[in-house]
Amino acid sequence: MIASPLTRRAVVAGGLLGTAALSGCSVSDLTKRKTNDPEAADRARLAKARDLSLQLHDEIVATMTRDPRLSTALAKIRDMHLEQIAQFTNSAGLTTPRTAGPTSAPLTLTALPDRERELAQTFRALALHAQRGDVAALLASAAAGIDQVMVR
Amino acid sequence: MTPLHALIAALKAEYAAVYLYGLLGGRASRGGKPAEIARIASLYAAHRMRRDQLIALLGARKVTPPVPAVAYTPPIDPVSTSTRTACAREVELRSESIYTQLVAATAGSERAFAINALTSVSTAAVTLGQTPSAFPGLVL
């Protein structure tokens, strides 16, 4: 979605993101140093949304593993996160695999709604400041998607 | 789409929503259950509030808002509780699309309004029976 004719600056930004992913350092740290590049800033917003989604996804999977009776109820939420992770990755042109660890702690059931609300709120904040309209719409829609699945 | 066009499109959608919820409320008042009437009243009030906020946003741009149409055709003939619910759901789904476009077209306080509106209408759609989506309002 964010894909556009590559400028030299975009190529450099893409290289920075790839380097960050391979070295394990924070993408947002890199883009903070390059805040005058709106394209890179939006990629960092999508990368942040992807990483936060991955983290919560892994915690949900850990919860399902700990208590299989919750699997059916949590599968819809897990699947939504997977869809959003894929779209964020694709839209930002990220090629990195997961950055969240495989040893995430399970959630308590009372914590899950709070964590989902917090993630939706973060998406809305990222959407508000996105430079590109399509990135803003994607993030705002993802926040609404979280709200939808929690209502259901 | 320019911010102004997106704001006007959203206002026109809210004019239609307010009209249609008025129609649904009138139909529900003749035989509908209290819970249905209360739900329609609540959604009617929410759309009226957003309509007024959109008029204010256009006013802040020194733009005279368009006037509403005399009448709007419901997407589904609202003859029963189930068809009224389907009609309301369709209104909310149209609103999701409109507000996603408004998010994309605007910035600052106008975008903040659009983000909140998108959240409200997409939640309303689910309470009316819509299946949750990872990206409501977007065709990916």
Side-chain angles (χ1 to χ4, degrees), chain B residues 30-53:
Chain B
R30 298 196 299 267
K33 291 182 177 168
E36 182 196 3
I37 295 168
R39 184 173 64 193
I40 290 172
S42 169
L43 292 169
Y44 173 77
H47 282 282
R48 276 190 59 148
M49 187 178 70
R50 283 192 292 271
R51 176 202 64 187
D52 293 345
Q53 288 172 318

Side-chain angles (χ1 to χ4, degrees), chain A residues 28 41-42 44-53 88 119-132 135-140 143, chain B residues 103 111 115:
Chain A
S28 56
D42 275 354
R45 286 183 182 94
L46 291 167
K48 181 175 180 181
R50 194 274 308 262
D51 289 348
L52 292 172
S53 298
F88 292 146
L119 185 61
Q121 200 52 42
T122 302
F123 286 179
R124 279 189 273 273
L126 290 169
L128 185 60
H129 297 105
Q131 300 294 307
R132 286 180 59 130
V135 173
L138 188 71
L139 289 162
Chain B
V103 170
R111 184 184 284 174
I115 290 170

Side-chain angles (χ1 to χ4, degrees), chain A residues 17-76:
Chain A
L17 287 168
T19 306
L22 290 171
S23 64
C25 65
S26 165
V27 169
S28 56
D29 288 346
L30 284 174
T31 53
K32 273 178 195 163
R33 293 176 218 149
K34 201 171 174 59
T35 51
N36 58 342
D37 185 342
E39 193 84 6
D42 275 354
R43 286 177 196 275
R45 286 183 182 94
L46 291 167
K48 181 175 180 181
R50 194 274 308 262
D51 289 348
L52 292 172
S53 298
L54 257 174
Q55 189 182 331
L56 189 47
H57 165 271
D58 287 353
E59 289 170 18
I60 290 168
V61 170
T63 309
M64 293 166 77
T65 305
R66 183 196 60 191
D67 192 346
R69 289 171 303 172
L70 299 174
S71 290
T72 305
L74 295 181
K76 283 179 284 189

Side-chain angles (χ1 to χ4, degrees), chain A residues 69-126:
Chain A
R69 289 171 303 172
L70 299 174
S71 290
T72 305
L74 295 181
K76 283 179 284 189
I77 303 174
R78 177 203 58 196
D79 292 348
M80 175 204 63
H81 285 304
L82 279 177
E83 199 175 327
Q84 293 186 346
I85 288 162
Q87 191 60 47
F88 292 146
T89 303
N90 185 46
S91 297
L94 299 170
T95 56
T96 53
R98 47 201 311 112
T99 54
T103 54
S104 298
L107 291 161
T108 63
L109 275 189
T110 50
L112 180 63
D114 288 342
R115 293 293 310 282
E116 294 289 351
R117 259 193 299 276
E118 191 183 319
L119 185 61
Q121 200 52 42
T122 302
F123 286 179
R124 279 189 273 273
L126 290 169

